[in-house]
């Protein structure tokens, strides 16, 4: 029974590492499925390189953009910054830009997990690389097709990724070329992994060396930030709900879920039109915004101080079928 709590204690504070590991595993699985169902080298001169590089680079680029988009820090970094920097004095710009670079590097590091994993797995697999560069291999080392023109040799080399298109007399040369290209691709994949691992390790070491906090103080800071964000989210949900209840009650005269409702309000046609339509974030003054049309209507009604008539009614208890029979 004590085994699970120990594991939970060990994993606490390692959410980023666990999330990156999950992203890497999902990327590996997706790459295998993607290669199995969609990849088919055209084995044609001029098309192999474009096709191979497209399958190698485009998914990595998409994963990088998705990594940026799914990170909340990205939107916290960019939203509303134009007006924010206008209010900053020039003396604080240098500090602001240093913080901006630090946060941007952190966001980029997390966003690179999926694309780097994609590139490393595809290079280790070798299929995309073989398709892309097969027609550029110096095949004269293998004695294949020595008496043909350069264009014909490129056409023959382009068919090497597709074994069924290679003439029987070139099968051995084709196998040797495929082995060479797979060797190059896998070495490049493992070098990429090694460079990334070393870079990440050195980055963490340098960040720790220049950190003003001690190890335990840093753990406390991380715990505080997590708890603050959790409590802030809870307070945001409750505050926005209570504020919305005030506006809904202003319009209908009661709040949904209320018990023993005795009064309701009948909105007029003008009021229905005022809260209908497309809602845009509207700036009221230098410090406040209208979040919706209903919010805008409620603020105007409070400012005008109008008294609205309500309908008061009494809820009578429902009679049961037995009472009706009697």
């Amino acid at each position: 029974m004590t085994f699970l709590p120990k594991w939970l204690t060990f994993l606490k504070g390692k959410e980023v590492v666990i999330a990156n590991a999950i992203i890497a595993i999902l990327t590996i699985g997706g790459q295998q499925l993607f290669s199995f169902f969609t990849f088919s080298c055209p084995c044609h001169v001029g098309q192999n390189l474009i096709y191979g590089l497209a399958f190698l680079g485009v998914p990595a680029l998409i994963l990088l953009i998705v990594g940026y988009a799914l990170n909340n820090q990205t939107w916290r970094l960019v939203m509303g910054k134009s007006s924010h920097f206008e209010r900053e004095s020039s003396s604080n710009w240098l500090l602001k830009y240093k913080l901006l670079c630090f946060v941007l590097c952190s966001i980029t590091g997390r966003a690179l997990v999926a694309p780097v994993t994609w590139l490393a797995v595809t290079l280790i697999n070798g299929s995309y690389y073989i398709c892309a560069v097969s027609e550029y291999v110096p095949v004269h080392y293998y004695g294949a097709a020595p008496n043909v023109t350069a264009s014909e040799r490129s056409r023959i080399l382009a068919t090497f990724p597709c074994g069924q298109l290679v003439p029987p007399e070139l099968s051995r040369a084709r196998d040797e070329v495929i082995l060479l290209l797979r060797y190059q691709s896998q070495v490049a994949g493992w070098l990429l992994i090694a460079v990334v691992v070393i870079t990440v390790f050195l980055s963490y070491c340098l960040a720790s060396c220049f950190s003003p906090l001690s190890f335990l103080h840093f753990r406390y800071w991380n715990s505080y930030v997590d708890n603050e964000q959790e409590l802030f989210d809870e307070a945001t949900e409750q505050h926005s709900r209570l504020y919305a209840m005030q506006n809904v009650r202003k319009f209908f005269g009661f709040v949904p879920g209320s018990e023993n409702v005795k009064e309701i309000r009948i909105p007029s046609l003008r009021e229905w039109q005022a809260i209908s339509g497309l809602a845009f974030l509207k700036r009221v003054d230098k410090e406040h915004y209208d979040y919706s049309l209903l919010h805008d209507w409620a603020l105007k009604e409070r400012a005008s101080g109008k008294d609205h008539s309500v309908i008061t009614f009494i809820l009578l208890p429902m009679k049961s079928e037995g009472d009706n029979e009697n």
Side-chain angles (χ1 to χ4, degrees):
M1 295 297 293
T2 59
F3 179 75
L4 185 59
K6 289 182 178 179
W7 269 104
L8 294 177
T9 303
F10 174 76
L11 296 177
K12 187 176 181 180
K14 297 179 175 61
E15 292 84 358
V16 175
V17 177
I18 297 174
N20 291 339
I22 294 175
I23 292 173
I25 292 173
L26 293 177
T27 304
I28 293 173
Q31 191 276 336
Q32 296 297 322
L33 293 176
F34 194 74
S35 300
F36 181 78
F37 287 106
T38 62
F39 184 76
S40 179
C41 188
C43 297
H44 191 276
V45 177
Q47 297 179 2
N48 287 10
L49 179 63
I50 298 175
Y51 191 82
L53 292 181
F55 271 76
L56 189 67
V58 173
L61 178 61
I62 294 175
L63 290 173
L64 178 63
I65 296 174
V66 171
Y68 276 115
L70 294 181
N71 195 325
N72 290 332
Q73 293 293 333
T74 303
W75 308 114
R76 175 175 287 189
L77 185 66
V78 301
M79 288 188 69
K81 289 303 178 184
S82 59
S83 59
H84 178 73
F85 279 113
E86 289 175 359
R87 297 192 301 265
E88 292 293 335
S89 60
S90 58
S91 60
N92 293 331
W93 278 12
L94 181 60
L95 180 61
K96 290 293 182 180
Y97 282 127
K98 286 183 178 179
L99 180 60
L100 179 66
C101 293
F102 175 79
V103 176
L104 186 60
C105 290
S106 176
I107 296 172
T108 303
R110 295 188 182 185
L112 283 174
V113 173
V116 168
T117 302
W118 175 275
L119 291 175
V121 173
T122 52
L123 287 174
I124 291 175
N125 179 272
S127 299
Y128 300 170
Y129 181 84
I130 291 172
C131 178
V133 302
S134 61
E135 61 184 278
Y136 302 101
V137 175
V139 76
H140 58 272
Y141 289 120
Y142 306 100
N147 299 322
V148 297
T149 62
S151 59
E152 181 66 17
R153 183 180 294 112
S154 297
R155 187 192 65 80
I156 295 174
L157 289 173
T159 62
F160 275 18
C162 305
Q164 68 275 14
L165 301 180
V166 179
E169 63 272 14
L170 297 178
S171 297
R172 181 173 180 179
R174 183 242 176 208
D175 293 340
E176 293 179 354
V177 168
I178 294 299
L179 288 176
L180 172 65
L181 295 179
R182 194 177 300 278
Y183 153 77
Q184 294 175 351
S185 180
Q186 291 182 348
V187 168
W190 284 113
L191 286 177
L192 176 62
I193 294 175
V195 169
V196 170
V197 170
I198 293 173
T199 303
V200 171
F201 176 74
L202 292 179
S203 299
Y204 274 107
C205 289
L206 290 176
S208 300
C209 289
F210 290 99
S211 174
L213 305 180
S214 63
F215 178 72
L216 294 180
H217 197 177
F218 181 77
R219 290 180 59 184
Y220 174 83
W221 174 57
N222 281 335
S223 178
Y224 171 82
V225 171
D226 293 339
N227 290 327
E228 182 187 75
Q229 186 62 48
E230 181 180 354
L231 294 173
F232 185 84
D233 291 339
E234 294 177 2
T236 300
E237 174 68 22
Q238 185 175 358
H239 184 280
S240 61
R241 184 175 181 82
L242 292 174
Y243 194 25
M245 282 183 179
Q246 293 182 7
N247 298 330
V248 171
R249 184 174 184 177
K250 186 74 175 177
F251 192 78
F252 288 111
F254 74 99
V255 177
S258 301
E259 298 180 357
N260 300 325
V261 177
K262 297 181 180 180
E263 294 180 348
I264 63 172
R265 179 178 175 276
I266 306 300
S268 65
L269 177 61
R270 181 187 61 81
E271 291 168 341
W272 279 113
Q273 292 175 347
I275 69 168
S276 302
L278 297 177
F280 298 96
L281 191 64
K282 178 182 176 183
R283 188 166 187 172
V284 180
D285 52 39
K286 293 183 179 180
E287 300 295 336
H288 300 91
Y289 286 86
D290 282 345
Y291 302 126
S292 67
L293 295 178
L294 178 60
H295 182 211
D296 181 57
W297 173 87
L299 291 179
K300 291 179 180 178
E301 292 298 308
R302 292 190 184 98
S304 64
K306 295 180 181 179
D307 293 331
H308 299 280
S309 60
V310 297
I311 296 179
T312 303
F313 58 94
I314 300 176
L315 294 178
L316 299 176
M318 298 294 293
K319 292 184 179 181
S320 62
E321 295 181 358
D323 295 337
N324 293 332
E325 293 177 358
N326 294 332

